Amino acid sequence: MAIGLKIPDNTAFTAASRCARLGIAVERVERSEIWFFEDEGSALIERVKADETIFNPNKHCVTVFEEAVPRSGEVWIEPLEPRTGGAAATAWRLFGPSEATLDRESLGAAAERLLCNPAIERAVY
């Protein structure tokens, strides 16, 4: 499950502008937190929406994934050491011209040059 912002995200905006300055054809970036849960269904979504520590209905939206893999144009940045009590990863979804998602090569360049610190994180795309 991804918990993202439905309000403007200054961090994602900054990442988009930095990627563009690095020569990566990015026009827009979406950022969200990836959470893994054992159970599923609408009851899970309602429990997440009721948890004020991870979800604020005024600014967050929830996306449930069919599979625990990044979507097209998305890279997940995961810590090398698993976190306790927090999101499992940060998802960055990059869009280029005409709202097309970026290809795997461009995602790798963005992860390597900006989004991922290989000393403490790994990129999954």
Side-chain angles (χ1 to χ4, degrees):
M1 151 176 318
I3 299 177
L5 291 173
K6 59 183 176 183
I7 61 173
D9 184 349
N10 292 332
T11 302
F13 176 80
T14 300
S17 65
R18 295 304 101 193
C19 282
R21 287 187 74 182
L22 291 170
I24 302 165
V26 174
E27 291 191 6
R28 185 170 68 85
V29 173
E30 292 178 357
R31 179 178 58 108
S32 58
E33 294 179 339
I34 302 298
W35 292 78
F36 296 108
F37 298 97
E38 296 295 319
D39 51 348
E40 55 187 60
S42 61
L44 170 63
I45 295 170
E46 293 309 313
R47 278 200 326 276
V48 168
K49 287 182 175 182
D51 186 342
E52 297 171 351
T53 62
I54 63 173
F55 186 84
N56 178 337
N58 296 315
K59 65 179 187 175
H60 291 119
C61 58
V62 174
T63 303
V64 178
F65 297 125
E66 302 243 348
E67 296 181 73
V69 295
R71 299 172 286 182
S72 172
E74 188 171 63
V75 58
W76 291 359
I77 306 300
E78 302 175 335
L80 294 177
E81 302 270 331
R83 300 178 203 161
T84 56
T90 300
W92 298 89
R93 194 161 191 209
L94 287 71
F95 297 87
S98 303
E99 286 296 302
T101 56
L102 262 60
D103 59 30
R104 199 168 162 81
E105 182 180 330
S106 298
L107 284 176
E112 180 182 304
R113 295 180 193 170
L114 180 70
L115 302 175
C116 182
N117 178 348
I120 59 171
E121 300 168 321
R122 73 175 149 262
V124 178
Y125 47 97

